Amino acid sequence: MKGYVLIAALFLTAASASAQEAWRDTTASDTGGRVILKESSFIQPVTPRDSILVADRLLYGFELDNVPDSTVLAFPQIATPFMQDVLALPMWQVDTVKVQKIRANNARLLNIRASIAIQPFEEGTYELPPLFVQRIHPDGTVDTIQFNRQTIEVFTMPVDTATFVPHDLRGQIKYPVTFAEILPWLMGFWALALLVIGLVAWLTSRRPSASWTSTAATSSGRPTSRNSSTPA
């Protein structure tokens, strides 16, 4: 959707606030355009929460409705740091959020949403600098659109001393052993026991019996002698 808008980078060499003021004055006097004030800026946390905390990333931007698709918008280069204790990512994010077609001349009107990412790193109240964009008409005239400032209040993560009570570190939680955890070990133990019993039985069955050894020894002995006193 970004292809509907042609973005020309406008490089500023002075500081952010003074450069924007000089840009506005030059545009109004040299290009025959107008300075237009709009109240459509916004500040939006990337991570939704009730308050803005230190190092939160915020989207600071504006919305333009019913922009003809042939309009050229020139976005200024964003300085970083954006202001004292506030950093900015020097890249515009521009999206076309709605396209409306006009049947009479087959033209299209676009709703544009543009923003930059900023991060405050100190607690306090900040009045952000206003955002600007140039709108270049087909006849070469350039309008400078200035959007209203936004004010943010940044907090650190507070500790509720009224209800906070320090506690000692606790040891690791020990859960009871369940039968399902023991069952694989029991099955392994019984399988090993049955294997040992079977091996002992197999070795016992292969040994010669004791009765067979005793009979063989008796048959191979000397003959029994007769009593000499017995008459022949």
Side-chain angles (χ1 to χ4, degrees), residues 1 8 24 26 37 41 47 50 65 76 99 117 125 133 136 140 153 159 165 169 175 186 189 211 213 222:
M1 300 296 289
R24 184 187 65 180
T26 301
L37 303 180
S41 67
T47 302
D50 295 334
D65 295 337
V99 179
T125 302
V133 66
I136 305 174
E153 190 171 1
V159 176
V165 178
L169 295 177
Y175 295 96
L186 291 177
F189 173 77
S211 59
T213 304
R222 293 179 301 174

Side-chain angles (χ1 to χ4, degrees), residues 151-174:
T151 301
I152 59 174
E153 190 171 1
V154 182
F155 302 90
T156 56
M157 185 67 71
V159 176
D160 189 356
T161 56
T163 59
F164 175 74
V165 178
H167 297 280
D168 294 333
L169 295 177
R170 297 182 179 180
Q172 186 176 4
I173 298 177
K174 297 181 179 180

Side-chain angles (χ1 to χ4, degrees), residues 25 31 50 63 78-79 156 171 180 192 196 218 225 227-228:
D25 295 340
T31 63
D50 295 334
E63 296 179 349
I78 300 300
T156 56
L192 181 61
V196 172
T218 304
S225 60
N227 192 341
S228 58

Side-chain angles (χ1 to χ4, degrees), residues 118-165:
I118 63 174
Q119 282 182 292
F121 284 94
E122 291 291 341
E123 183 180 13
T125 302
Y126 297 88
E127 186 178 3
L128 301 177
L131 296 175
F132 295 83
V133 66
Q134 283 188 334
R135 182 174 60 189
I136 305 174
H137 296 279
D139 60 359
T141 59
V142 180
D143 293 335
T144 299
I145 304 175
Q146 175 183 336
F147 299 90
N148 57 305
R149 298 172 180 263
Q150 290 287 340
T151 301
I152 59 174
E153 190 171 1
V154 182
F155 302 90
T156 56
M157 185 67 71
V159 176
D160 189 356
T161 56
T163 59
F164 175 74
V165 178

Side-chain angles (χ1 to χ4, degrees), residues 60-110:
Y60 182 31
F62 59 85
E63 296 179 349
L64 279 177
D65 295 337
N66 300 324
V67 179
D69 60 355
S70 60
T71 304
V72 178
L73 298 178
F75 292 83
Q77 182 181 4
I78 300 300
T80 181
F82 188 60
M83 57 182 300
Q84 184 176 0
D85 299 326
V86 179
L87 297 181
L89 296 180
M91 181 178 297
W92 284 92
Q93 178 179 340
V94 183
D95 296 303
T96 301
V97 297
K98 183 180 179 181
V99 179
Q100 178 182 356
K101 291 186 178 181
I102 302 177
R103 296 182 179 180
N105 53 5
N106 201 24
R108 291 182 296 185
L109 298 179
L110 313 177

